[in-house]
Amino acid sequence: MQEKETAKAKPKVKKRKYRYGHWAMTAMLSPAVIFVFIFSYLPMIGLIIAFQNYKYNLGMFKSPFVGFDNFKFLVFSDTFMELVRNTIGYNMAFIIFGMVAAVLVAVMMDMVHKKVLVKIYQSTMFLPFFLSWIVVSYITHSLFQFDYGIINNLIRSFGGEGISFYSEGKYWPLILTVVSIWKSIGKNSLVYYGAILSISPELYESASLDGCGGFAKFRYITLPHLKSTMIILTIMAIGGIFRSDYGLFYYLPKDSGALLDWVDVLDTYILRSIRSTGNIGVSSAAGFLQSIVGFVLVVATNYVVKRIDEDSSLF
Amino acid sequence: MIENKFQKILSKTIANIILIVVALSCLIPFVIIISASFTSEGEIIKHGYGMFPRGFTLDAYKMVMHSSGELLDAYAVTIYTTVVGSLLSVLMTIMAAYPLSRKDYKWQRIFNFYFYFTMLFSGGAVPSYILISNYLNLKNNILVLILPLMFNVWNTFLLRTYFQQIPSAMWEAAEIDGAGQFKILFQIIVPMSVTGVATILLFVMLAYWNEWYLCLMYMSNEKVITLQFYLSRVLSEIEDTVNNRSGTIAMNMDVSNLPNETARMAMCVLAAGPMMFVFMFFQKYFTKGLNVGSVKG
């Protein structure tokens, strides 16, 4: 009897105490809630602009609706296929090669095993992460510039002809992919290195006793343990497959017209039309595709992953 | 057994060599930029860029310092937005991460979803541009360089994972003693998560220091621009004159005053340098701090 009473009394006390706590915590949270509402949720309403002939003086609610005209105009324009090809192509390359590079670096750091060395490697590889794309564009300038660039210097010193990188597009898929991986390798490999460290050493020991070589250990212990991290990061990346880092694609090729076929992506297209006289309706149709298709892809991939392997799904 | 040991040493050596190559590729560009900024202009034109400064000189820095009050203006703006923005941002992130980390908070799940959803879905560039310039009227206001970056969901979730690792007995005991939530957060939780807070602070500072996008979109005021944007403008002005494009921006600039190759690199060092110092300062927290952050919702 007494026991029952205390059991009853306990939640009561808790409830009274927590009523204050809930409001205090909601108060703490409110600035963030308001900021996210203004800067993330309000723009979502703006997606309707994609179906309008947007006029700055009329605004979002009075501009005339035009149905799918903006989308038709976008899809049937000469550059659309090229934009989509570039955007998806670059993103796929970044996702796949970026992941392979990060996992390999993480595995090798684990092999090195000396804490001091790992620390040095990690800190050095983090350096590019702290540069803005603009500073990176200065670096690529010093490498690829025609007259004084280091790469052209090297080519000439071996008796070759200099390459005019800033007017030949075919080199840029490689350059942009390498630079993109280079900038984020420190951060990405750290995530995988952390996951590797969490694997129990006993697993490796017993594998050694069973006569497993290094590769077999990698294949049957390390890789399966990294799998869910790899899948989750990939699902996240797939959501952004129509988005690109504007700085990378705009500043590194220096906005050179000759390279546009090779480096123009949806984001540079959209930004160009916001900044110059371009058509707001058409660029918001492109933005609409980025948001909706990206979201649908994330949900779909996640659904498929969830059916195969529940633990690896994002949500 | 001996063969096994040999194999182990061999693979270790190969791993070391590859990692050294990767690490060097991350380091060498810095060396190139720094050494070019100390090289004389004539040497660059004659021999091109290189690893080591030839004909050591401070001319480039002198030129950058003398020729542009604009650079100092850009420094002032960037330091202002970085300091004010980071402090407010970290405060807001801490206050948001704490309730989200408390499983017994009534609306924890709802708000977690509220924030998480914005990582998966967004309105995109055009609606944001129209909102900020037409409805919030923040164009050419220095606040536009601070407000949009102030809250970052990713950082909040990173910090949330930190707070979750603190045993619940800590705040339970404090609550029994009658401490308010603000007191618990700032006197118990935050001091126990120095690594996490430092990591967030570094990320936020980096975002403000390297800001150029908001400047490009919303700032037509020549006086109030960030350092990185100033750097990008100098670069594009040079390209415009070199390519003989008739850009309107290039017209405003005296061609003879254009910073040359070395001065550009000096500016680069001045723009990126401070962040490198900050990184070294935060370094001990940083690599530890990132390992925790899981993105799973």
Side-chain angles (χ1 to χ4, degrees):
Chain A
M1 194 61 194
Q2 216 188 357
E3 236 182 78
K4 219 178 186 180
E5 247 185 53
T6 43
K8 238 185 186 172
K10 236 183 188 171
K12 223 179 184 179
V13 172
K14 250 191 178 163
K15 218 177 179 185
R16 254 190 82 194
K17 189 173 61 185
Y18 278 128
R19 192 173 298 152
Y20 162 70
H22 286 310
W23 286 113
M25 285 197 261
T26 310
M28 285 177 184
L29 205 51
S30 54
V33 170
I34 294 168
F35 259 76
V36 167
F37 181 75
I38 294 175
F39 290 105
S40 300
Y41 280 94
L42 280 184
M44 289 180 198
I45 305 170
L47 284 170
I48 57 169
I49 295 168
F51 302 97
Q52 289 177 334
N53 180 8
Y54 186 81
K55 300 265 191 287
Y56 277 107
N57 52 350
L58 294 178
M60 211 178 335
F61 300 104
K62 289 187 184 136
S63 296
F65 277 88
V66 292
F68 284 91
D69 281 8
N70 292 326
F71 291 91
K72 278 182 204 151
F73 186 87
L74 174 71
V75 172
F76 292 120
S77 69
D78 318 328
T79 49
F80 181 69
M81 285 322 284
E82 206 173 84
L83 286 173
V84 170
R85 180 200 70 190
N86 286 351
T87 312
I88 294 182
Y90 277 112
N91 273 318
M92 299 259 275
F94 296 169
I95 293 172
I96 296 169
F97 296 124
M99 186 167 72
V100 172
V103 170
L104 284 181
V105 166
V107 168
M108 286 189 285
M109 278 188 185
D110 185 47
M111 280 162 75
V112 167
H113 225 75
K114 267 223 176 68
K115 259 201 168 151
V116 189
L117 282 179
V118 172
K119 194 106 214 191
I120 292 173
Y121 294 144
Q122 274 179 341
S123 314
T124 321
M125 286 180 202
F126 244 110
L127 288 175
F129 180 75
F130 287 86
L131 300 177
S132 70
W133 283 120
I134 292 152
V135 173
V136 175
S137 79
Y138 277 64
I139 292 174
T140 47
H141 167 88
S142 73
L143 288 174
F144 300 117
Q145 209 270 350
F146 185 71
D147 296 311
Y148 332 115
I150 286 183
I151 300 221
N152 275 325
N153 266 345
L154 278 177
I155 294 174
R156 288 197 193 96
S157 71
F158 286 110
E161 288 263 314
I163 300 170
S164 162
F165 287 103
Y166 286 100
S167 53
E168 278 185 68
K170 63 182 173 193
Y171 299 106
W172 285 88
L174 180 65
I175 295 174
L176 293 181
T177 308
V178 170
V179 172
S180 167
I181 293 171
W182 170 80
K183 194 163 184 287
S184 56
I185 187 79
K187 190 180 165 196
N188 292 343
S189 62
L190 192 65
V191 174
Y192 289 111
Y193 183 65
I196 291 177
L197 284 187
S198 71
I199 301 173
S200 152
E202 284 165 28
L203 277 176
Y204 288 109
E205 277 160 28
S206 55
S208 297
L209 287 179
D210 290 343
C212 279
F215 184 75
K217 280 188 219 162
F218 171 72
R219 168 75 184 76
Y220 295 106
I221 300 176
T222 317
L223 217 48
H225 270 92
L226 295 183
K227 195 182 69 181
S228 71
T229 311
M230 287 160 79
I231 293 176
I232 285 174
L233 292 180
T234 308
I235 299 176
M236 292 287 276
I238 283 175
I241 200 150
F242 281 104
R243 300 186 187 281
S244 328
D245 208 318
Y246 179 69
L248 172 67
F249 288 93
Y250 179 80
Y251 284 115
L252 262 66
K254 294 189 199 166
D255 198 22
S256 161
L259 304 180
L260 221 50
D261 294 354
W262 292 84
V263 301
D264 205 16
V265 288
L266 281 168
D267 272 292
T268 45
Y269 174 83
I270 292 171
L271 268 283
R272 214 178 317 125
S273 57
I274 293 180
R275 281 174 43 73
S276 47
T277 55
N279 187 334
I280 283 289
V282 175
S283 62
S284 46
F288 186 89
L289 285 183
Q290 286 185 315
S291 299
I292 302 286
V293 178
F295 182 65
V296 170
L297 281 177
V298 170
V299 175
T301 334
N302 190 63
Y303 178 74
V304 174
V305 169
K306 204 167 190 168
R307 303 216 52 180
I308 301 169
D309 175 16
E310 178 102 42
D311 290 338
S312 301
S313 68
L314 185 60
F315 46 84
Chain B
M1 206 57 190
I2 291 169
E3 202 180 331
N4 208 346
K5 213 167 192 179
F6 173 72
Q7 244 176 12
K8 222 174 182 177
I9 291 172
L10 183 72
S11 59
K12 224 178 211 181
T13 317
I14 293 173
N16 266 311
I17 291 172
I18 296 175
L19 287 176
I20 287 172
V21 171
V22 177
L24 279 181
S25 81
C26 292
L27 192 65
I28 286 175
F30 289 83
V31 180
I32 294 171
I33 297 276
I34 293 168
S35 76
S37 72
F38 289 113
T39 307
S40 70
E41 187 71 12
E43 289 289 326
I44 293 255
I45 287 171
K46 227 174 15 197
H47 302 291
Y49 286 103
M51 287 276 289
F52 306 101
R54 279 175 299 253
F56 185 89
T57 163
L58 289 172
D59 284 355
Y61 288 95
K62 278 180 197 148
M63 177 173 169
V64 170
M65 290 303 190
H66 279 297
S67 67
S68 55
E70 276 178 319
L71 179 70
L72 292 179
D73 285 346
Y75 254 116
V77 170
T78 309
I79 290 170
Y80 176 76
T81 56
T82 306
V83 171
V84 174
S86 318
L87 289 179
L88 291 175
S89 175
V90 166
L91 187 68
M92 191 150 85
T93 310
I94 289 173
M95 294 207 308
Y98 173 61
L100 295 178
S101 74
R102 289 273 302 252
K103 287 245 158 60
D104 58 335
Y105 167 50
K106 213 199 264 168
W107 298 294
Q108 190 243 8
R109 284 176 64 87
I110 299 172
F111 280 123
N112 262 322
F113 178 77
Y114 176 83
F115 291 118
Y116 188 66
F117 185 70
T118 61
M119 287 173 88
L120 301 175
F121 189 72
S122 79
V126 180
S128 299
Y129 176 78
I130 290 171
L131 174 78
I132 289 173
S133 57
N134 288 15
Y135 291 91
L136 301 178
N137 289 321
L138 285 175
K139 236 180 165 177
N140 286 323
N141 186 334
I142 194 163
L143 286 177
V144 84
L145 300 177
I146 295 177
L147 295 180
L149 292 177
M150 218 149 108
F151 186 74
N152 180 306
V153 177
W154 201 88
N155 288 346
T156 309
F157 282 175
L158 190 72
L159 201 58
R160 183 190 66 178
T161 353
Y162 266 94
F163 291 169
Q164 276 168 349
Q165 288 173 342
I166 295 172
S168 60
M170 297 304 296
W171 40 260
E172 271 165 8
E175 267 172 7
I176 287 166
D177 290 345
Q181 295 301 339
F182 282 89
K183 206 171 178 186
I184 293 176
L185 174 58
F186 288 105
Q187 294 191 351
I188 299 173
I189 306 288
V190 171
M192 287 182 77
S193 329
V194 177
T195 317
V197 175
T199 309
I200 301 301
L201 180 61
L202 181 62
F203 274 139
V204 175
M205 282 176 77
L206 182 69
Y208 278 111
W209 187 266
N210 279 348
E211 203 327 286
W212 50 268
Y213 176 83
L214 295 167
C215 211
L216 175 80
M217 300 292 284
Y218 304 109
M219 283 292 178
S220 44
N221 182 351
E222 299 273 311
K223 278 259 155 203
V224 187
I225 57 173
T226 60
L227 198 52
Q228 304 297 328
F229 185 69
Y230 174 67
L231 206 62
S232 85
R233 233 186 39 197
V234 170
L235 188 68
S236 67
E237 274 159 7
I238 297 171
E239 294 309 321
D240 277 354
T241 26
V242 169
N243 300 344
N244 261 335
R245 279 194 232 153
S246 52
T248 41
I249 322 161
M251 303 300 274
N252 302 332
M253 195 121 171
D254 185 5
V255 180
S256 63
N257 249 343
L258 280 178
N260 41 29
E261 296 281 333
T262 56
R264 279 198 233 189
M265 297 303 153
M267 256 178 347
C268 215
V269 172
L270 292 175
M275 220 41 231
M276 293 298 143
F277 270 107
V278 172
F279 172 56
M280 281 185 230
F281 180 73
F282 277 93
Q283 217 232 350
K284 63 175 172 174
Y285 303 109
F286 190 52
T287 36
K288 238 189 297 167
L290 254 180
N291 273 337
V292 198
S294 92
V295 281
K296 196 158 168 147

